Amino acid sequence: MRTQILPLSPNMTPAIAEAARILMAGEVVAFPTETVYGLGANGLCDEAVGKIFDAKGRPGDNPLILHISETQEIHELVSEFPEKARRLAEAFWPGPLTLVLPKSARVPERVSAGLSTVAVRCPKSEAARALIRACGFALAAPSANTSGRPSPTSAAHVFHDLSGKIPLILDGGECEVGLESTVLSLYPKPTLLRPGLVTKEMIEGVIGEEVCVHEAVMSKINGETPSPGMKHAHYAPNAQVFVAKAETPQDAAMKICEKYEEFASKGKKCTIFATIQTQTFYSSKNYVIMGDRDLPHAICARLFALLRSAEGAGFDVIFIESLKAKGAGLAFMNRALRSAGFNFI
Ligand code: TXA
Ligand code: MG
């Protein structure tokens, strides 16, 4: 299959119409959202949804998010829409927050991977919402990468992973947020299943109660998880990744320098994901600057793209500095640790 790429600017109308035509025919299309690129299919059609799993090589036990263009469209998809969820939707939709709620009978088995709940979000991206409106149905869409790889934040990333496997990629440029949406379950109590840029603190501000962070967010667990997908490998580039944890950024930098020398002496090509605060430690080494520690949002936006470019440059080993696991920093640490397979130094 030839994979076509259609630009969404300067006029998105023709590209959206073509994408909607393909989606209405039961095929898949990759499209931009404000978080990462999604691989969409008709979310109410079991067969169409199956094609997402095929193209990505995604395990069937990892459920999908349904994307809607307006909050009111959620009523068809869930059997309950409690007051807390309503308040969160009002505060953060359209935007990077996914709510996990009891599903309605309309939701195909494959979308929810057999669970009794369904994940729903209304993306902020105008193009994504225009596409959903043009289709007239909710779009099931995981990130548009091969399963297990870093999520795509540009059309080129999608093409790299899925070229030849999908008919169309809508090119909306680089994603603004760069990390996937926050996933929040409300049952039995508000729990973050995946941190994102709608932070724990922001959610607590709206619902007025504490939000738990699921233990799988920051550690490798073997027991039960709310979604079996939380246990699968994630975000891994084709290189060995280590996250450096230490009391201070300076201590982390020193640890990295030591390990770097050790791997380099064995002939490994190493690089470091540094911050502007620590770059002076690495003057004689390969490194890239993720950004400023005081602006974790901007660092989050670049993480996946940096993982892919380090892999493309042929590095064998990537050392990532850790950030404080609070606010956007929690989302960063979750993705960094997962991309490292929870290997840290
Ligand atoms: O930002 C995003 O959320 C992107 C864009 C395309 O919207 N989508 C995305 O989808 O990241 P995906 O499939 O890569 O991640 C969906 C996450 C998985 O961690 C999955 O386990 C969780 O949502 N999830 C989906 N349905 C669930 C459910 N019923 N219960 C618990 N977790 C669920
Ligand atoms: Mg994904």
Side-chain angles (χ1 to χ4, degrees):
M1 180 185 309
R2 200 179 79 84
T3 302
Q4 198 188 2
I5 302 181
L6 287 178
L8 285 163
S9 63
N11 173 12
M12 70 174 173
T13 312
I16 295 282
E18 174 60 4
R21 187 188 67 72
I22 295 173
L23 289 162
M24 286 189 272
E27 300 298 323
V28 298
V29 170
F31 64 97
T33 80
E34 75 280 19
T35 58
V36 300
Y37 276 71
L39 182 63
N42 182 345
L44 299 178
C45 171
D46 204 52
E47 199 188 329
V49 168
K51 293 180 185 170
I52 293 176
F53 286 90
D54 294 345
K56 280 182 60 92
R58 183 179 176 101
D61 65 0
N62 195 2
L64 305 176
I65 297 172
L66 289 179
H67 295 69
I68 55 179
S69 71
E70 301 273 352
T71 299
Q72 68 200 40
E73 293 162 18
I74 197 172
H75 297 291
E76 193 189 359
L77 309 174
V78 301
S79 61
E80 283 170 48
F81 191 39
E83 177 58 26
K84 267 179 232 163
R86 239 176 258 275
R87 292 222 300 272
L88 289 168
E90 201 166 299
F92 301 117
W93 283 357
L97 173 67
T98 295
L99 296 173
V100 176
L101 293 165
K103 69 169 191 159
S104 78
R106 286 296 311 268
V107 177
E109 280 291 297
R110 258 197 267 229
V111 167
S112 55
L115 300 172
S116 59
T117 52
V118 64
V120 184
R121 98 172 178 101
C122 179
K124 189 169 170 207
S125 152
E126 285 298 335
R129 275 182 297 133
L131 181 62
I132 299 162
R133 272 194 302 273
C135 289
F137 45 71
L139 287 178
S143 48
N145 49 282
T146 297
S147 197
R149 292 191 31 77
S151 295
T153 56
S154 73
H157 295 163
V158 180
F159 190 81
H160 179 275
D161 280 16
L162 300 179
S163 153
K165 296 183 175 161
I166 63 174
L168 178 63
I169 301 168
L170 293 180
D171 185 353
E174 280 176 28
C175 301
E176 181 194 326
V177 173
L179 291 189
E180 311 85 347
S181 62
T182 304
V183 179
L184 180 75
S185 167
L186 289 171
Y187 298 89
K189 53 185 180 186
T191 306
L192 267 193
L193 304 184
R194 180 173 73 185
L197 292 216
V198 172
T199 62
K200 169 175 152 50
E201 296 78 8
M202 287 159 74
I203 296 169
E204 286 170 342
V206 170
I207 60 175
E209 67 179 281
E210 202 194 330
V211 170
C212 306
V213 177
H214 196 280
E215 60 171 325
V217 165
M218 291 293 281
S219 53
K220 194 174 191 166
I221 62 168
N222 298 314
E224 280 283 293
T225 51
S227 153
M230 292 171 80
K231 275 193 283 196
H232 296 304
H234 268 106
Y235 319 123
N238 201 356
Q240 211 177 347
V241 182
F242 293 97
V243 176
K245 279 200 196 167
E247 286 289 308
T248 66
Q250 290 71 22
D251 288 348
M254 260 136 52
K255 259 187 181 176
I256 288 176
C257 288
E258 195 181 307
K259 283 283 169 192
Y260 185 114
E261 300 291 356
E262 195 181 307
F263 277 94
S265 71
K266 289 184 217 150
K268 299 278 185 197
K269 202 175 156 196
C270 303
T271 188
I272 301 161
F273 288 7
T275 51
I276 57 168
Q277 283 81 357
T278 51
Q279 57 178 307
T280 49
F281 284 85
Y282 307 128
S283 51
S284 61
K285 299 182 166 59
N286 299 314
Y287 70 93
V288 286
I289 298 173
M290 297 188 288
D292 182 336
R293 290 180 164 271
D294 299 327
L295 301 170
H297 284 66
I299 293 184
C300 286
R302 301 189 64 209
L303 177 65
F304 288 146
L306 288 175
L307 284 169
R308 281 178 180 263
S309 63
E311 165 191 89
F315 286 108
D316 305 306
V317 183
I318 302 169
F319 296 102
I320 308 181
E321 286 183 11
S322 52
L323 299 183
K324 246 195 232 110
K326 255 187 94 75
L330 182 66
F332 171 85
M333 287 305 291
N334 168 261
R335 305 316 191 276
L337 283 169
R338 285 180 171 270
S339 71
F342 293 96
N343 283 324
F344 41 83
I345 57 172

